[in-house]
Amino acid sequence: MAPSHLSVREMREDEKPLVLEMLKAGVKDTENRVALHALTRPPALLLLAAASSGLRFVLASFALALLLPVFLAVAAMKLGLRARWGSLPPPGGLGGPWVAVRGSGDVCGVLALAPGSGAGDGARVTRLSVSRWHRRRGVGRRLLAFAEARARAWAGGMGEPRPRLVVPVAVAAWGVAGLLEGCGYQAEGSWGCMGYTLVREFSKEL
C-alpha cells in the first residue's frame, strides 16, 4: 500500500475502542523483549537471585522460590508499559489523537502528540502505533511526517525559534529506531533502571 493511499485525521469517538486495542497490541509486541532485556542485566539478575535466596527460607518449593521473583518482576514491568503506552492520553495542546486511515476507511495507525516539558523542548510523540496487519506499508512513515508538520505548525504558533520533535522508543523496538534514523532523527538521550537503558529518545530539528 503506497503512502499516497493513506490519510490522517482526528480520531472519532466511535473509533476509540479499536484504537485502544491497537495500542495494547503494539505494547504486547515489545513488552516481552523489553522485559527480557531488562531482567538479563547483571544488577537485575543479582536482585532476582537475592530475592530467590530469601524466599527459599519461606517457601517449601525450590522451583517456586526461583520462579516467583521472575514472574512478579515481568508482571510489574508489563503493567508499567501498558499503563504508559497502552492507553490514550488526554488531548493536549497539539490536538489529536489522530488516526491513519486507508482509502477504504480502515483505521491502521494512531498518533498522539504533546508539548515538551520546557521552553525549547519542542513537541513529543506520546503514542505511535501501527496495526500489525499494515506494517511495512508506509503507515508509520506517513504518521511521522504528519507529526512533524503538526510540530512545525505548533512551534510557529508558539513563537518557538527552532521546531523540534522528540520520539521515545523502547530499546527492543529496532524497527522503529531504524525508521527514525532513516528519516534524519538522532538518538539524544535515554532513561531506564539501574543504569541500563530501557527507552531511547530520538529527536530532529524540523
Side-chain angles (χ1 to χ4, degrees):
M1 181 179 62
S4 59
H5 295 161
L6 289 166
S7 62
V8 181
R9 58 165 171 77
E10 285 204 62
M11 181 192 74
R12 298 196 303 259
E13 189 62 29
D14 64 302
E15 294 168 336
K16 187 173 181 179
L18 175 63
V19 168
L20 284 171
E21 286 302 315
M22 190 182 303
L23 288 171
K24 291 175 183 177
V27 171
K28 286 180 181 179
D29 288 343
T30 59
E31 63 185 11
N32 288 329
R33 286 176 289 171
V34 172
L36 180 63
H37 175 84
L39 297 180
T40 53
R41 303 306 96 185
L45 292 173
L46 183 61
L47 288 174
L48 291 173
S52 295
S53 297
L55 285 174
R56 288 180 62 185
F57 294 100
V58 179
L59 301 174
S61 170
F62 172 78
L64 185 59
L66 183 66
L67 295 176
L68 185 59
V70 177
F71 173 80
L72 292 176
V74 170
M77 189 165 296
K78 287 186 176 184
L79 288 174
L81 288 171
R82 292 174 189 179
R84 186 178 180 89
W85 286 332
S87 60
L88 277 171
L94 282 86
W98 295 275
V99 291
V101 184
R102 293 183 59 182
S104 58
D106 293 336
V107 174
C108 54
V110 58
L111 167 74
L113 298 168
S117 56
D121 288 344
R124 294 179 63 87
V125 171
T126 58
R127 302 291 188 279
L128 178 61
S129 185
V130 176
S131 168
R132 66 183 60 183
W133 310 112
H134 297 277
R135 291 173 187 169
R136 300 186 182 277
R137 299 183 181 182
V139 180
R141 194 176 293 270
R142 177 71 179 87
L143 285 169
L144 190 60
F146 180 86
E148 292 177 2
R150 289 292 301 184
R152 198 178 291 114
W154 173 80
M158 296 294 292
E160 292 278 354
R162 292 192 305 170
R164 182 168 174 266
L165 184 63
V166 179
V167 186
V169 180
V171 70
W174 304 115
V176 179
L179 168 65
L180 292 171
E181 290 172 342
C183 292
Y185 286 77
Q186 294 183 339
E188 67 161 18
S190 63
W191 57 268
C193 182
M194 294 183 291
Y196 290 92
T197 298
L198 295 180
V199 175
R200 293 186 295 167
E201 292 192 339
F202 291 79
S203 69
K204 179 180 178 182
E205 301 287 342
L206 305 175

